[in-house]
Amino acid sequence: MDVFLQQLVNGLSLGSIYALLALGYTMVYGIIKLINFAHGDIYMIGAFWGYYIINTYHVDFFVALVSAMVVTAILGMVIEFLAYRPLRKAPRITALITAIGVSYFLENGMSLLFGANTRDFPQIITHKTLTFMGIEISNIQVLILCTSIFLMIVLQIIVKKTKMGIAMRAVAIDPDAAELMGINSNHVISFTFGLGSALAGAAGVLIGLYYNSIDPMMGMVPGIKAFVAAVVGGIGSIPGAAIGGFVIGTLETLIQAVGLSAYKDAAVYIVLILILIVLPTGLLGKSAKEKV
Amino acid sequence: MLKVDNLTVNYGAIEAVKQVSFNVNQGEIVTLIGANGAGKSTILKTLSGVKKAASGQITFLDTDLTKLSPSKIVQAKIAQVPEGRRIFAGLTVRENLQMGGFLESKKDKQAQLDYIFEEFPILAERQGQDAATLSGGEQQMLAMGRALMSQPKLLLLDEPSMGLSPIFIEKTFAIIQKLNEQGTTILLIEQNAKTALKIADRGYVLANGKIKLEGTGEELLNNEAVQHTYLGMM
């Protein structure tokens, strides 16, 4: 039982990182129906930015986190502007292939500029372990979980209460009608990329602290897993992405706990296949209904 | 107020609207009637900037609208109630209205919201509800309320009677007349020609992308060709 609870705690902290990433996937998909395969690499850039700014300016965790979010938000908007906006009217597959191209560009560009080797992420927070009812929780795990949940709450407020957030949902529902309201869909799409990328940047800094090592290819697998999380939760659904992230993270650590470490990635993909067969719209996804 | 000059609009190689000219004067209700595919909706889409004209000119209160973006046209105080209402299902009634006033200041938005809740009490009652749960007629009220949020001088209505019960059609047209009396100029597109011509000051009959006839509402109602073709009278 203790082992199970212990793995659950580990799973939740890993899952919260997947959840942050999955939110970006789902928001972008919701608004322009694009699976942004470069999303995992934005998370990598977030981690590298954290590495750079901590080593160079010796800033604390908070500054590293917020600055990484700002940098990745700008990067996300620039990518959207340069790579995806010109393809707005093109077939969906064109944008999808472009997203894969952007992903390779970021991965190999970073390898070329900074080398492909793995680096140690600076440990700005002294590692402490708390024991609670027989379960060991590190202060970093608590920090990851709290930061992620805090960011998800902020996101929820932005999407539900602000003018831009409501416009995001309006454009996702009916872009043509939104245009007739005078909503400039390009601004809204740009805002969505910024928001999603900022969360990915935050996840990058958090994973640096957690796993202690970063490299230019680090975004690939978590990117795909977060995509699976978004599909499990119901692509396009924001609460679904959060839940999907926690589900995938927990599943992965539990599989490791029962001694099947070698199959942890496979398990995630099996879940994807099962969900697509049994519940193609995901846990919270909506099937389109129309009222006449 | 609105002047359309030799407007031509294409869909690919097809000319959907051919050299159409018409005008709407301040305070009028003008209707464009015609069968399916006559080009009515295309004209409205071009007026609101969603489609671009191949040639011709659209002028509104001395502003050339022909090349403007939809948001600039909303700023010029033209609003559209699109065909099929196109409310945002999944957003609440209140959020739908807020989107209608997207470009307005906070203060104007609130004032306009109060006005709309007064005009359409049903929307006030249901403001927190998902707009998808409204009935067809209520959705029409919402679509009109949403368009009014931008305080338009000219309101474009695309087939407001479509899919509504006779009672709601009557209600909708009564609201259109009331808005007109309060000072909003109306351009109305309808397949339901009879009802439209009854409330219209003037009308244009459109067929195959061209204007075939024009006259006052009454003239067109009594015109034999119109009666025969569009009003189902023999």
Side-chain angles (χ1 to χ4, degrees), chain A residues 244-267:
Chain A
F246 285 116
V247 168
I248 295 297
T250 313
L251 176 85
E252 198 181 313
T253 44
L254 288 180
I255 293 281
Q256 278 175 296
V258 297
L260 295 171
S261 294
Y263 298 102
K264 70 180 169 99
D265 293 351

Side-chain angles (χ1 to χ4, degrees), chain A residues 160 163-164 166-167 169-170 173-174 176-183 291-292, chain B residues 48 50 70-71 74 86 88-89 91 95 98-100 102-103 132 134 139 146:
Chain A
K160 286 284 175 203
K163 185 172 151 181
M164 254 339 223
I166 304 173
R169 287 184 286 143
I173 295 164
D174 190 337
D176 297 334
E179 213 175 357
L180 290 177
M181 311 290 111
I183 299 171
K291 191 163 202 162
V292 187
Chain B
S48 51
V50 177
S71 72
V74 175
R86 306 289 283 270
F88 300 113
L91 261 56
E95 286 170 342
Q98 284 169 338
M99 286 298 102
F102 188 76
L103 299 171
L134 299 184
Q139 289 188 4
R146 186 180 62 176

Side-chain angles (χ1 to χ4, degrees), chain A residues 18-31 151-161 164-166 168-170 172 191-192 195-196 199 226 229-246 281 283-286:
Chain A
Y18 289 155
L20 287 179
L21 275 176
L23 286 166
Y25 271 110
T26 225
M27 284 193 291
V28 165
Y29 183 84
I31 206 155
L151 290 175
M152 286 181 218
I153 292 169
V154 171
L155 176 73
Q156 191 67 8
I157 293 170
I158 292 175
V159 171
K160 286 284 175 203
K161 299 283 175 209
M164 254 339 223
I166 304 173
M168 251 173 79
R169 287 184 286 143
F191 178 78
T192 308
L195 211 56
L199 294 178
V231 173
V232 167
I235 192 118
S237 158
I238 288 177
I243 293 170
F246 285 116
T281 54
L283 296 172
L284 298 184
K286 284 169 273 188

Side-chain angles (χ1 to χ4, degrees), chain A residues 176, chain B residues 7-18 37-55 80 83 86 158 209:
Chain A
D176 297 334
Chain B
L7 182 71
T8 299
V9 190
N10 300 336
Y11 278 103
I14 302 159
E15 276 194 342
V17 174
K18 297 163 197 158
K40 307 183 302 283
S41 287
T42 308
I43 291 178
L44 271 212
K45 281 186 187 137
T46 316
L47 289 180
S48 51
V50 177
K51 268 212 71 72
K52 291 290 166 229
S55 64
Q80 186 182 149
E83 185 177 356
R86 306 289 283 270
D158 197 347

